[in-house]
Amino acid sequence: AAEIRQELGGAFDLAFSVTAVELVRGALVTAHSFLREALTERDLWQLYRTRYRAEPFVRLVHQKTGIHRFPEPKLLAGSNWCDVGFEPDATSAQHRVVVIAALDNLMKGAAGSAVQAMNLMLGWEETAGLTFPGLHPV
């Protein structure tokens, strides 16, 4: 929680959990964020798109229908992607937004992060060697 607050800049209420999934690797995070003011879904889309526009391995996943409406760890096995989704709670007087993120904790969590950092340090293309689409279906 401290790292999340540090990176997002400030003191705010935050509740989250990391869930191990029935895969060899993968993690799913569910965070409950409480906003200072109510935001529409459109406002949230704009905020997320602005924040992650320059991040080559973050995808926004938020569909109205279908099997994979929110981030799904099994789809990311073997990839360096982090999928992020959100859902505003229209019934919450506290302006709650539930944020869901999924990643392969071996690739994105350790190995992929090391390669990405090395690429940046050596002045190479940040995505070099990391564009493998993944192993799904496993």
Side-chain angles (χ1 to χ4, degrees):
E3 291 172 340
I4 293 171
R5 285 188 183 94
Q6 172 188 313
E7 291 304 311
L8 295 178
F12 50 87
D13 291 331
L14 172 68
F16 76 98
S17 59
V18 177
T19 306
V21 293
E22 291 189 31
L23 295 169
V24 173
R25 55 211 228 187
L28 181 68
V29 173
T30 305
H32 299 260
S33 301
F34 302 93
L35 308 178
R36 292 185 186 109
E37 61 188 58
L39 293 177
T40 66
E41 188 171 323
R42 183 183 202 131
D43 293 334
L44 288 168
W45 268 109
Q46 183 176 1
L47 285 170
Y48 276 90
R49 284 184 178 132
T50 299
R51 171 59 186 94
Y52 292 115
R53 180 175 293 135
E55 298 297 333
F57 293 108
V58 176
R59 299 183 297 199
L60 298 178
V61 178
H62 180 80
Q63 302 296 324
K64 294 288 184 193
T65 60
I67 295 173
H68 302 293
R69 294 175 42 215
F70 294 104
E72 172 60 58
K74 72 179 175 184
L75 298 178
L76 302 170
S79 79
N80 197 52
W81 292 103
C82 177
D83 286 353
V84 177
F86 60 89
E87 185 67 34
D89 181 357
T91 65
S92 173
Q94 301 158 320
H95 314 301
R96 180 175 71 131
V97 176
V98 179
V99 181
I100 302 164
L103 54 76
D104 175 333
N105 59 313
L106 190 59
M107 268 302 286
K108 186 64 180 165
S113 295
V115 171
Q116 193 170 349
M118 177 190 71
N119 289 343
L120 291 170
M121 289 173 49
L122 296 175
W124 298 342
E125 180 65 35
E126 183 176 357
T127 59
L130 295 169
T131 57
F132 182 68
L135 304 169
H136 186 73
V138 185

